[in-house]
Amino acid sequence: MIKIGAMNTRKVIRKEAHGAYLEGDEEWDNFLVPNKDLPEDLQVGDQLEVFVYFDSEDRIIGTTKKPLAQVGDFVCLEVSSERDIGLFLKWGLSKELFVPHREQIFKMIPGESYVFYVYQDNSQRIAASS
């Protein structure tokens, strides 16, 4: 079973020019791990440990990079920026972790670090709460 927001070990089922596809499950289709995140000697049939999340187009995707936190963790993270919709946190992945305004108990300042809880929202996207 694939767990969004966590490390998963999945079988490589095919390689293409832009990356490798890993085996899905009953709920999730096969998903891409981009080339930049793949070991050079990876072969079809290998098992690969990846962190599974949603890309900017809400497609399931994997990375071999391990973020600073997974769903269910409490962690101290740095605020990288503030936007109209909320905050974004540095957590070790290229796609930053989102904190909606309603999940902030006080005003937070970019460049400072705070403790957050990482969770999945109703749409299954990964987010954080203070």
Side-chain angles (χ1 to χ4, degrees):
M1 179 173 164
I2 294 174
K3 293 183 180 179
I4 304 297
M7 298 301 291
N8 294 259
T9 301
R10 306 304 295 174
K11 182 179 174 182
V12 177
I13 57 169
R14 75 177 187 271
K15 290 175 70 176
E16 295 190 1
H18 53 279
Y21 282 86
L22 275 55
E23 185 174 49
D25 63 12
E26 309 81 43
E27 184 176 359
W28 301 104
D29 290 334
N30 302 333
F31 61 95
L32 176 70
V33 178
N35 279 329
K36 65 182 174 69
D37 294 334
L38 294 174
E40 288 185 24
D41 60 346
L42 186 73
Q43 299 295 318
V44 171
D46 288 353
Q47 296 287 320
L48 189 62
E49 184 179 32
V50 294
F51 180 78
V52 179
Y53 65 106
F54 292 100
D55 68 9
S56 57
E57 296 177 20
D58 291 331
R59 297 175 298 201
I60 186 174
I61 192 166
T63 180
T64 53
K65 294 177 185 164
K66 191 170 185 178
L68 299 174
Q70 298 181 47
V71 168
D73 290 347
F74 287 91
V75 64
C76 187
L77 295 173
E78 181 183 338
V79 175
S80 63
S81 63
E82 182 175 11
R83 307 263 167 71
D84 291 342
I85 59 172
L87 301 174
F88 289 89
L89 310 174
K90 295 180 182 179
W91 70 322
L93 300 180
S94 56
K95 182 179 179 186
E96 294 183 324
L97 185 58
F98 177 59
V99 182
H101 284 301
R102 70 180 179 281
E103 296 294 336
Q104 300 168 42
I105 58 174
F106 54 85
K107 173 79 171 147
M108 297 180 185
I109 301 164
E112 297 293 324
S113 296
Y114 306 92
V115 174
F116 295 93
Y117 176 71
V118 181
Y119 69 98
Q120 272 187 282
D121 67 14
N122 291 339
S123 66
Q124 298 193 356
R125 286 187 224 138
I126 304 166
S129 174
S130 62

